Amino acid sequence: MGKDIIKEPFCVINCDDFYGRDCFMQIGKFLSNLPEGAKNQYAMVGFRVCNTLSENGSVARGVCSYNEKRHLTDVVERTEILRKDGVIQFKDEQGEWQPLEENTPVSMNVWGFTPDYFQYSEEYFKEFLSDPKNMENLKAEFFIPLMVNKLINDGTATCEVLDTTSKWFGVTYAADRQETVERIQRLVDEGVYPNKLF
């Protein structure tokens, strides 16, 4: 929808997550430092998995791998991650619990793109729509990581994994609501955000 309006590097986020100030500083710095006319140079903010858990149940996260240049090489969706017996763990394809290092980067859908991304995603979206199994599944979604994985595996684009100290929070479970309210209030009390947010 934004392809005819957005002509400069841009960021995409979820509308129902709280990402924190450092996260926006990291993606803003990356986008601001891109040379004029840059193409195929993307980034994602890799949250430390320890900063993205819910105390009220498991969470789904895209666990990221990257190379020596901090370029993303893979995102594997893990649908059950939680802290169990003091250790962060995920359930693998065989239903076995596997440990996950505290600072492992995970995708929380904070992406930085150059405008060429629109062309690629529009073409790939047509492929997505032409696949009968996607049309039969009323819940099929065209996820951004699908597109990014395709572009990095094709060698078309790079995606730098940026580190952040921000702590994500959101309302994954109804029981998360009160803690979320209290955490935002603490940030206001500490002067991180103004008393009137909107």
Side-chain angles (χ1 to χ4, degrees), residues 98-135:
Q98 303 294 337
L100 199 57
E101 202 276 321
E102 296 272 327
N103 291 322
T104 300
V106 295
S107 170
M108 299 302 297
N109 274 332
V110 179
W111 299 96
F113 295 119
T114 44
D116 50 273
Y117 177 82
F118 289 118
Q119 178 188 343
Y120 302 130
S121 66
E122 190 169 33
E123 289 171 4
Y124 195 41
F125 187 50
K126 291 174 186 172
E127 286 183 39
F128 178 84
L129 293 175
S130 67
D131 187 333
K133 76 175 189 302
N134 290 332
M135 293 302 92

Side-chain angles (χ1 to χ4, degrees), residues 44-173:
M44 59 150 285
V45 177
F47 276 70
R48 301 168 187 180
V49 68
C50 62
N51 289 335
T52 72
L53 303 177
S54 168
E55 292 181 7
N56 298 299
S58 66
V59 295
R61 300 286 180 255
V63 178
C64 303
S65 303
Y66 57 84
N67 63 21
E68 67 282 352
K69 294 181 178 178
R70 290 195 66 92
H71 288 172
L72 185 68
T73 55
D74 196 23
V75 180
V76 178
E77 192 68 25
R78 298 295 183 190
T79 56
E80 286 187 70
I81 300 176
L82 48 73
R83 191 178 293 280
K84 190 175 177 182
D85 302 322
V87 177
I88 300 174
Q89 302 182 50
F90 70 90
K91 195 177 277 189
D92 66 16
E93 292 80 359
Q94 287 72 45
E96 301 291 324
W97 288 101
Q98 303 294 337
L100 199 57
E101 202 276 321
E102 296 272 327
N103 291 322
T104 300
V106 295
S107 170
M108 299 302 297
N109 274 332
V110 179
W111 299 96
F113 295 119
T114 44
D116 50 273
Y117 177 82
F118 289 118
Q119 178 188 343
Y120 302 130
S121 66
E122 190 169 33
E123 289 171 4
Y124 195 41
F125 187 50
K126 291 174 186 172
E127 286 183 39
F128 178 84
L129 293 175
S130 67
D131 187 333
K133 76 175 189 302
N134 290 332
M135 293 302 92
E136 291 164 11
N137 178 4
L138 297 179
K139 294 187 176 182
E141 292 184 61
F142 184 62
F143 294 111
I144 289 175
L146 282 175
M147 184 74 251
V148 174
N149 263 340
K150 174 177 168 49
L151 293 173
I152 62 176
N153 288 325
D154 288 352
T156 302
T158 59
C159 183
E160 188 172 333
V161 179
L162 309 175
D163 182 39
T164 182
T165 56
S166 284
K167 293 185 177 174
W168 167 92
F169 55 91
V171 184
T172 303
Y173 299 95

